[in-house]
Amino acid sequence: MDADVTDSAGPPSDPDRPAEDKPQDRSRDRSREESGRPEDDAPQEESPAAPETDEAAAETGEGDSTEGGPAESESKAGSETGPKAAAGADGVQTWADRPKDGIVSARRSHWLRWTALAASFLVLVAAGVGWWMYKKLDGNITTDTSAAAELKAYEKERPTPVVMDAQNILLIGSDSRAGDNRKYGRDDGGSQRSDTTILLHLAADRKSATAVSIPRDLMAEIPSCRTGDDKKTREQFTQFNTAFELGGTACTIRTVERMTGIRIDHHMVVDFNGFKDMVDAVNGVEICLKEPIDDKDAHLELPAGRQKLNGEQALGYVRARKSIGNGSDTERMERQQQFLGALVNKMQSNGVLLNPTRLYPVLDAATKSLTTDPGLDSLRDLYDLVRGMRDVPTEQVQFLTVPRQPYRNNPNRDELVEPDAGDLFEQLREDKPVAVVPADELEEAERDKESGQDGKPDDAGSESPTPTPTYSGSSAADDLCKQ
């Protein structure tokens, strides 16, 4: 009987477990069975405080962190679906529980930070590249300090500037046959010659630019100059380009100043390679030829008609003499002026001067072969000069040659025609305008004037203002293929 009692009473009581089977224990057992938990988990003890906490929470309704107690939590849980509802039931907040506007704000702040960092990096890179480009171009320029020192020694004999804001720049094309230029002719020990000399006058208002070519064969008074081996030459009346060969840039400047009475503010010396590279940098220049050219000395062979010249071809075109036209130096200078006008027009019409990406190759080509006085030996100085010229209308960029005629003692040389040459120099010196027209138009106008067929009364000119002097020349706006 005792055994029956023992069997009906269940297993022997566990000294560590209460003998009485409470209703909440049975409820917990049923929960395990319904959830499928194995009975082996039963011996695992739970914290004694847990039942009390659960009971207290049930009685007070404060066991849930959600406002409104268990009933309200169950109501909310029942109304929610998906991962957010499940997460809320376990009391664990997930990413989905965060407010949507907070997520958007966090993402926006994240991207703003990265955008700011990327922008700062790009600014630093651009600044570094810009500085490198500036230093490279600035370092390309060669400074001619010897000419500045020589001119300073002769300051007392130099002309006084008349219009302070106007600029007079002497452009000298070096005809040296040394180094890379050896293929263009005989090398006399690297001696320099002034193949092309242009006096560039920039008006004070920067509304016009006048480029006056000085023939290399023009007879001129050359002052006593200091040579490269520190010797002095005698004053002499001889061919103009002898000044550059004997005394370099300083002697050429002093010769021009003595001839014109115009104070030279700056000078630039450009060699052959600089000219070629500038033409290539603007992707060539278009010209039109009435007849084909085959000039072995100039390394040039071109058919007739419209065509685009690269740098090498352009150099041959402006240097060719015997194979084009009458073979005179006068005609060659006119061809040089027309080509320079086309080059200026190409740079302005294509926006090169206003486009840094296109301007850089031009500046790089120019500065590599450029020698200037200390006043123009930095990229900033050159940029200020170019900026002052970029708004000049192409029709106001004019090219002409000093009025000259064959020298009376030697027809192979030139001499100035007076008073025409003196009038031109006075106009430039006082920053007054000049006008240029094609040679054939000027000749026709002079014939009409001499024959009295100008269509004006004889006394009409007495009350009219002084007319603008007109010279044979061209402008950058002229189309070489329409002439």
Side-chain angles (χ1 to χ4, degrees), residues 342-362:
L343 177 60
V344 171
N345 196 12
K346 177 73 177 286
M347 293 177 66
Q348 289 191 344
S349 62
N350 286 3
V352 175
L353 298 180
L354 301 178
N355 188 338
T357 59
R358 302 193 65 183
L359 180 60
Y360 175 80
V362 177

Side-chain angles (χ1 to χ4, degrees), residues 191-300:
S191 63
Q192 296 188 93
R193 292 183 178 84
S194 176
D195 184 64
T196 301
T197 302
I198 297 175
L199 173 59
L200 175 64
H201 174 78
L202 303 179
D205 58 7
R206 296 300 188 268
K207 293 183 178 180
S208 66
T210 305
V212 181
S213 295
I214 302 176
R216 66 177 187 176
D217 295 334
L218 180 70
M219 300 301 292
E221 292 281 354
I222 299 178
S224 174
C225 299
R226 191 179 301 275
T227 63
D229 54 0
D230 203 26
K231 295 180 180 179
K232 281 192 174 183
T233 63
R234 60 179 178 84
E235 291 191 16
Q236 51 189 312
F237 183 74
T238 186
Q239 190 174 330
F240 171 72
N241 68 345
T242 303
F244 191 75
E245 184 177 358
L246 294 178
T249 303
C251 191
T252 302
I253 292 175
R254 292 175 59 210
T255 301
V256 172
E257 290 183 341
R258 175 176 290 193
M259 178 193 307
T260 64
I262 298 173
R263 171 81 175 215
I264 303 301
D265 301 298
H266 301 289
H267 72 268
M268 297 181 185
V269 181
V270 184
D271 71 9
F272 289 160
N273 288 317
F275 176 80
K276 289 192 306 180
D277 293 342
M278 286 184 64
V279 174
D280 287 333
V282 297
N283 195 29
V285 175
E286 280 194 349
I287 64 166
C288 279
L289 297 177
K290 297 180 180 179
E291 298 178 356
I293 300 176
D294 186 6
D295 192 326
K296 295 181 180 179
D297 293 335
H299 302 274
L300 185 65

